[in-house]
């Protein structure tokens, strides 16, 4: 084997960077003892030389730790609480403890937390989503510590991931809306870029309506606040400025706020307007009518992710990326398809109201 084809060793990186092997190790593990400037220089050289810590070293690096760091966007959401519940029960059984932090959807806050956490040499790290600060990905790629990304899906995770395809979730909602004959769709969400998964679901809905109806999906993005209030205010804005016949929401809590707004406006659901939530939360079981929503397997996601991460910690090969199934659950907040709707489908679904909606939507994309 030629010298060029041999795998790069940590000694090679140390020699190239003109530092000690211990300094390279500290830089890659993100622990104290190396300045940020020197750490960045060492990591750059390691990437250029294609240095990767082997799996045996990864296992040894975490063999004496029983701490798992978990990063969540917020505590104010049932979704992440249920994912966390599935994970923690699995970790408790295996003898691992967890430390939890929230980022409030701030990638820089996540990065700073990871830097602090790495100094503790945890057994593993769990991140929510697959969209991170570029330095986060570089830092963890170079680290020997196993990393699980949860709730989202990518074919190129930092290490392993277990989640759902949010674009596909939006596509399911869009196809259901079209099948039920809706032609003037809208979406209530958070400010653009705040939650990449919400943006992906909106993109999925827009894709379907663009392909099958050539119709835009208007979006209302109220200021951040209580989910019920956000749903109410977003709906209020849409009803005042437009005339949607179906509104899809970031989650079931926002959908509940939207239902209350429709009721306050004297609109009947689903006769006058359709409402679609997301996640299949327990809230739906106490609503006066069954909410149309998409069910996500949150607890199973936590359990599956935790089990795969434990396998990585113990050096057992596991699937790199797992996508869990989604289930659209039709309820009483969307109408059944009528004969008139079927005739419109056969004719291409184009009516004067759709064209007017498209004109109104040009300034709301």
């Amino acid at each position: 084997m030629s010298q060029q084809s041999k795998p790069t060793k940590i000694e090679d990186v140390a020699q190239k960077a003109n530092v000690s092997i211990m300094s390279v190790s500290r830089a890659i593990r993100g622990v104290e003892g190396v300045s940020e400037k020197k750490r960045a220089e060492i990591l750059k050289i390691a990437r250029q030389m294609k240095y990767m810590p082997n799996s045996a070293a990864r296992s040894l690096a975490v063999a004496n730790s029983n701490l798992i760091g978990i990063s969540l966007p917020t505590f104010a959401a049932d979704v992440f609480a249920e994912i966390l519940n599935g994970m923690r029960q699995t970790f408790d059984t295996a003898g691992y403890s967890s430390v939890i932090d929230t980022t409030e959807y701030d990638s820089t806050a996540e990065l700073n937390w990871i830097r602090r956490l790495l100094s503790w040499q945890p057994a593993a790290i769990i991140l929510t989503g697959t969209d991170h600060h570029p330095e986060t990905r570089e830092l963890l790629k170079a680290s020997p510590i196993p990393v699980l990304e949860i709730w989202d899906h990518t074919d190129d995770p930092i290490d392993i991931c277990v989640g759902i395809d949010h674009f596909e979730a939006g596509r399911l909602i869009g196809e259901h809306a079209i099948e039920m004959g809706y032609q003037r769709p809208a979406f209530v969400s958070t400010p653009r870029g705040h939650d990449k998964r919400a943006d992906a679901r909106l993109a999925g809905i827009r894709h379907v309506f663009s392909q099958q109806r050539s119709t835009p999906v208007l979006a209302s993005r109220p200021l951040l606040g209580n989910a019920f209030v956000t749903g109410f205010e977003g709906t209020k804005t849409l009803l005042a400025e437009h005339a949607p016949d179906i509104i899809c929401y970031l989650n079931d809590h926002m959908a509940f706020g939207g239902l209350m707004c429709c009721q306050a406006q004297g609109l009947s659901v689903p006769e006058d307007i359709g409402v679609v939530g997301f996640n299949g939360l327990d809230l739906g079981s106490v609503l006066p009518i069954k909410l149309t929503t998409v069910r996500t397997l949150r607890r199973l996601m936590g359990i599956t992710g935790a089990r795969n991460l434990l396998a990585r910690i113990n050096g057992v090969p596991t699937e790199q990326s797992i996508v869990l199934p989604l289930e659209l659950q039709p309820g009483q907040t969307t109408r059944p398809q009528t004969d008139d709707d079927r005739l419109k489908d056969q004719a291409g679904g184009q009516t004067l109201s759709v064209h007017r909606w498209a004109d109104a939507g040009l300034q709301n994309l």
Side-chain angles (χ1 to χ4, degrees), residues 12-30:
D12 302 324
V13 178
Q15 183 178 6
K16 180 73 173 177
N18 195 28
V19 297
S20 67
I21 293 175
M22 178 62 71
S23 293
V24 175
S25 176
R26 291 181 182 220
I28 289 175
R29 289 184 290 122

Side-chain angles (χ1 to χ4, degrees), residues 161-175:
C161 75
V162 177
I164 60 175
D165 187 331
H166 290 267
F167 182 88
E168 171 66 12
R171 195 184 63 78
L172 284 175
I173 293 169
E175 289 185 344

Side-chain angles (χ1 to χ4, degrees), residues 194-211:
H194 175 76
D195 186 343
K196 298 293 186 181
R197 277 79 64 185
D199 293 344
R201 296 200 291 275
L202 174 56
I205 298 172
R206 282 178 166 164
H207 175 77
V208 172
F209 271 92
S210 174
Q211 294 291 312

Side-chain angles (χ1 to χ4, degrees), residues 58-71:
R58 177 181 290 262
S59 297
L60 288 173
V62 299
N64 295 320
S65 176
N66 69 343
L67 181 68
I68 295 177
I70 303 174
S71 174

Side-chain angles (χ1 to χ4, degrees), residues 100-306:
I100 305 167
D101 191 51
T102 59
T103 65
E104 300 305 324
Y105 297 91
D106 184 335
S107 62
T108 301
E110 181 185 68
L111 172 60
N112 292 334
W113 174 76
I114 288 169
R115 285 172 175 160
R116 295 192 300 271
L117 184 67
L118 286 173
S119 68
W120 301 350
Q121 298 187 23
I125 295 175
I126 299 172
L127 304 178
T128 303
T130 58
D131 183 75
H132 313 287
H133 192 288
E135 191 175 336
T136 292
R137 187 175 177 87
E138 292 180 5
L139 192 62
L140 293 179
K141 274 284 190 180
S143 169
I145 296 171
V147 178
L148 166 67
E149 292 168 284
I150 204 83
W151 184 231
D152 205 351
H153 163 259
T154 177
D155 292 325
D156 182 30
I158 294 172
D159 188 6
I160 61 174
C161 75
V162 177
I164 60 175
D165 187 331
H166 290 267
F167 182 88
E168 171 66 12
R171 195 184 63 78
L172 284 175
I173 293 169
E175 289 185 344
H176 175 74
I178 286 178
E179 183 182 351
M180 296 300 100
Y182 292 104
Q183 305 203 33
R184 301 187 304 280
F187 190 84
V188 176
S189 185
T190 55
R192 184 179 285 104
H194 175 76
D195 186 343
K196 298 293 186 181
R197 277 79 64 185
D199 293 344
R201 296 200 291 275
L202 174 56
I205 298 172
R206 282 178 166 164
H207 175 77
V208 172
F209 271 92
S210 174
Q211 294 291 312
Q212 299 190 37
R213 286 287 188 270
S214 298
T215 304
V217 180
L218 308 188
S220 176
R221 300 176 182 273
L223 295 176
L224 296 177
N226 177 277
F228 300 115
V229 176
T230 299
F232 188 99
E233 293 299 327
T235 304
K236 185 177 178 180
T237 298
L238 286 169
L239 295 177
E241 299 178 359
H242 307 287
D245 61 0
I246 185 170
I247 303 179
C248 309
Y249 294 82
L250 171 66
N251 55 42
D252 291 347
H253 289 159
M254 286 192 187
F256 175 78
L259 279 171
M260 295 302 98
C261 182
C262 290
Q263 179 177 321
Q265 297 281 337
L267 296 175
S268 176
V269 178
E271 289 78 7
D272 298 325
I273 188 169
V275 169
V276 181
F278 187 79
N279 273 322
L281 300 176
D282 290 341
L283 168 73
S285 64
V286 297
L287 292 178
I289 57 175
K290 183 181 178 182
L291 180 67
T292 296
T293 188
V294 173
R295 179 171 174 255
T296 55
L297 304 176
R298 300 174 298 281
R299 189 171 184 277
L300 177 62
M301 188 182 300
I303 293 172
T304 303

Side-chain angles (χ1 to χ4, degrees), residues 1-8 49:
M1 182 180 293
S2 67
Q3 180 66 32
Q4 288 185 339
S5 63
K6 291 181 180 179
T8 301
M49 298 182 72

